[in-house]
C-alpha cells in the first residue's frame, strides 16, 4: 500500500472513531436520563437531599430555584455560582446581587457528597443544581418535569460576571426583555420565570427605592398599593439597609410558601414588590401574559416547567468541555477534563478510543 493510501486510510479511520463520540463535540446537547447507566441513583440522591432540607425549612425551595437561575444567567448553567472565593478572586456567590441573599449551597454539598460516594467523578455540580431546582418546584408547587442532563462544570467564577449578567430588581420592562433575549429566552419566558417570585423572600435593599424618595412628586411609588407600602415601611425603615441589612420580606404576601399563580394575582392588585415586578404591567404584551396566568394557574405551571428546561440549556458545557468537580465549591486541581471512560454511554467504543 502506498504512503498516500495509508494516510487516507488512517484519516478515514480517525474520522470514523470521532463520529462515534458526538457527546464530546462542542455544543453537544443535553438529554433526559443522561446518568441512567453511569449513575442511576443520581437523581434520587439529589431528591433525598432536597427533601430533607425542605422538611427542615420549606424556604429552601425558593433558594435552590434562584440558585439555578443565578447560575444559568452568568456564563451559562455550569455550576460556577457554587465556587468559593479565594484570596485572589471574588467569585459569583460573593457579588453584590448574590450576597447575602443566595442560599442552598449546603444542600448541593450534601447531594454531591452522597453522589460521590456512589459514583465518583461522574455527576456534575451543574446537573445536581438543575435537579435540585426541579425537586424544589415539585415540593413547593406539586408539579414536576424531566431534566435533560449532561452539563459539565465551569472553571471560572467572578463577581464581575455576575454584575454584568444578572437582571436587576430595578429593571424596566425593556431592560428585562433585553436581558432575557441575550440568553435566548423570549419575553414570555421572562414573564413566566418571574413567577418564581411567588415563593421566597427579599432583602429590603431590593425594593426600598419604591418606598422612600421615589420621585420629586411622590415619596412612594404610586403604582404600589398604599396599604402594602405602609406595611413594607414598617418592616423596612428608611435606614434598614444600613442598620438592619438582614431584614427580609416575603415576595408574595398572598401564599408566600406555595409555588402558584398568586404572584400574578398580587401584581394585578398593585402588590408587586420590585420595580421589575411592576414593570410586567407597563407593556401590553407582557401584561397580556400576566392576565392569562391570573386566570389559569395550570397554564402558568405548564409554561413554567418548559421555560425552566429552556433556561437550563443556556450556554452549557458538554462532552469534554469543563470538568466534573470533585467538590462543588472548588475547581479541580490540574484538571483538563475527565477521561472518556467517565462519560456515560460510550460503552465498548471508549476502550477503542483510549487504547
Amino acid at each position: 500500500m502506498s504512503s498516500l493510501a495509508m494516510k487516507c486510510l488512517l484519516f478515514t479511520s480517525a474520522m470514523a472513531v470521532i463520529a462515534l463520540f458526538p457527546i464530546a463535540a462542542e455544543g453537544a446537547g443535553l438529554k433526559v436520563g443522561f446518568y441512567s447507566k453511569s449513575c442511576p441513583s443520581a437523581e434520587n440522591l439529589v431528591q433525598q437531599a432536597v427533601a430533607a432540607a425542605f422538611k427542615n425549612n420549606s424556604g429552601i425551595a425558593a433558594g435552590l430555584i434562584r440558585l439555578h437561575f443565578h447560575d444559568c444567567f452568568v456564563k451559562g448553567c455550569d455550576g460556577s455560582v457554587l465556587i468559593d472565593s479565594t484570596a485572589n478572586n471574588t467569585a459569583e456567590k460573593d457579588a453584590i446581587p448574590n450576597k447575602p441573599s443566595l442560599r442552598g449551597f449546603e444542600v448541593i454539598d450534601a447531594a454531591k457528597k452522597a453522589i460521590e460516594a456512589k459514583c465518583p467523578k461522574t455527576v456534575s455540580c451543574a446537573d445536581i443544581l438543575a435537579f435540585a431546582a426541579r425537586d424544589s418546584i415539585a415540593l413547593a408547587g406539586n408539579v414536576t418535569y424531566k431534566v435533560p442532563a449532561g452539563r459539565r462544570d465551569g472553571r471560572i467564577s467572578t463577581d464581575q460576571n455576575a454584575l454584568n449578567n444578572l437582571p436587576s430588581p430595578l429593571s424596566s420592562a425593556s431592560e428585562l426583555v433585553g436581558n432575557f433575549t441575550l440568553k435566548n429566552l423570549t419575553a414570555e419566558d421572562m414573564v413566566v420565570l418571574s413567577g418564581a417570585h411567588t415563593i421566597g423572600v427579599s432583602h429590603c435593599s431590593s425594593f426600598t427605592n419604591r418606598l422612600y424618595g421615589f420621585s420629586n412628586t411622590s415619596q412612594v411609588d404610586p403604582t404600589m398599593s398604599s396599604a402594602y407600602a405602609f406595611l413594607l415601611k414598617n418592616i423596612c425603615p428608611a435606614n434598614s439597609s444600613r442598620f438592619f441589612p438582614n431584614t427580609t420580606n416575603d415576595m408574595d404576601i398572598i401564599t408566600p410558601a406555595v409555588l402558584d399563580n398568586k404572584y400574578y394575582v398580587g401584581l394585578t392588585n398593585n402588590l408587586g414588590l420590585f420595580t421589575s415586578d411592576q414593570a410586567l404591567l407597563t407593556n401590553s404584551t407582557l401584561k397580556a401574559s400576566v392576565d392569562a396566568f391570573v386566570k389559569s394557574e395550570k397554564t402558568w405551571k405548564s409554561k413554567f416547567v418548559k421555560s425552566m428546561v429552556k433556561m437550563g440549556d443556556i450556554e452549557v458545557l458538554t462532552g469534554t468541555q469543563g470538568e466534573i468537580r470533585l467538590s462543588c465549591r472548588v475547581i479541580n486541581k490540574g484538571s483538563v477534563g475527565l477521561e472518556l471512560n467517565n462519560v456515560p454511554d460510550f460503552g465498548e467504543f471508549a476502550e477503542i478510543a483510549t487504547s
Side-chain angles (χ1 to χ4, degrees):
M1 182 181 291
S2 69
S3 175
L4 177 59
M6 179 62 74
K7 289 179 180 179
C8 289
L9 178 60
L10 290 173
F11 176 79
T12 302
S13 299
M15 293 304 293
V17 170
I18 290 173
L20 293 173
F21 303 100
I23 196 169
E26 184 170 343
L30 308 178
K31 69 174 184 178
V32 172
F34 185 82
Y35 298 107
S36 60
K37 294 182 180 179
S38 61
C39 190
S41 60
E43 295 191 43
N44 283 336
L45 290 172
V46 175
Q47 194 278 332
Q48 289 169 19
V50 174
F54 184 85
K55 183 177 181 180
N56 183 55
N57 175 12
S58 62
I60 199 65
L64 289 168
I65 295 168
R66 185 165 180 257
L67 199 57
H68 182 42
F69 175 87
H70 280 228
D71 182 39
C72 291
F73 261 65
V74 183
K75 290 186 66 62
C77 310
D78 65 350
S80 55
V81 73
L82 305 172
I83 297 173
D84 285 342
S85 294
T86 65
N88 300 316
N89 178 67
T90 302
E92 292 171 30
K93 64 168 57 173
D94 290 321
I96 291 174
N98 290 335
K99 188 177 181 180
S101 59
L102 280 191
R103 54 186 173 145
F105 297 103
E106 72 286 352
V107 181
I108 304 303
D109 291 340
K112 179 64 170 175
K113 182 178 179 180
I115 288 174
E116 284 298 307
K118 289 278 187 179
C119 320
K121 304 178 182 180
T122 302
V123 182
S124 70
C125 299
D127 277 341
I128 291 173
L129 185 49
F131 295 147
R134 182 266 313 276
D135 297 335
S136 297
I137 290 167
L139 289 168
N142 195 31
V143 59
T144 191
Y145 55 98
K146 294 181 179 180
V147 175
R151 299 167 189 80
R152 302 270 289 183
D153 296 323
R155 300 187 181 98
I156 298 172
S157 181
T158 69
D159 59 340
Q160 193 59 53
N161 280 335
L163 288 168
N164 291 345
N165 286 277
L166 291 173
S168 165
L170 309 181
S171 297
S172 65
S174 59
E175 288 169 338
L176 288 170
V177 172
N179 194 291
F180 276 65
T181 299
L182 289 174
K183 307 300 178 183
N184 292 320
L185 296 172
T186 66
E188 184 181 56
D189 287 323
M190 184 271 290
V191 179
V192 169
L193 291 171
S194 293
H197 289 175
T198 191
I199 56 174
V201 299
S202 170
H203 287 78
C204 298
S205 58
S206 294
F207 57 84
T208 48
N209 67 299
R210 302 185 70 196
L211 304 177
Y212 305 101
F214 180 74
S215 70
N216 293 330
T217 58
S218 176
Q219 279 291 306
V220 177
D221 185 343
T223 62
M224 177 182 281
S225 160
S226 57
Y228 188 37
F230 180 80
L231 172 66
L232 293 175
K233 281 189 170 187
N234 279 282
I235 297 171
C236 300
N239 59 0
S240 59
S241 296
R242 179 180 178 186
F243 295 107
F244 309 103
N246 295 321
T247 300
T248 60
N249 183 72
D250 291 325
M251 291 192 286
D252 172 4
I253 66 169
I254 303 173
T255 53
V258 181
L259 191 81
D260 56 19
N261 70 334
K262 298 304 185 289
Y263 162 78
Y264 301 102
V265 174
L267 276 186
T268 56
N269 285 279
N270 301 318
L271 299 176
L273 187 61
F274 306 130
T275 298
S276 58
D277 291 327
Q278 175 60 28
L280 303 188
L281 303 180
T282 64
N283 173 287
S284 59
T285 302
L286 304 182
K287 187 178 183 300
S289 292
V290 171
D291 291 339
F293 301 148
V294 169
K295 294 177 182 177
S296 174
E297 181 174 307
K298 183 178 180 181
T299 298
W300 171 67
K301 283 186 173 179
S302 174
K303 290 179 178 291
F304 183 66
V305 297
K306 290 177 183 177
S307 291
M308 285 294 295
V309 171
K310 190 174 178 182
M311 183 187 77
D313 197 36
I314 296 175
E315 300 170 34
V316 294
L317 303 175
T318 58
T320 56
Q321 297 171 321
E323 63 185 18
I324 303 296
R325 253 178 260 143
L326 304 183
S327 165
C328 292
R329 294 175 179 266
V330 183
I331 297 167
N332 295 344
K333 291 184 179 180
S335 173
V336 292
L338 296 180
E339 294 189 7
L340 290 175
N341 58 12
N342 281 324
V343 180
D345 297 333
F346 275 17
E348 61 182 330
F349 297 113
E351 297 179 11
I352 298 173
T354 55
S355 62

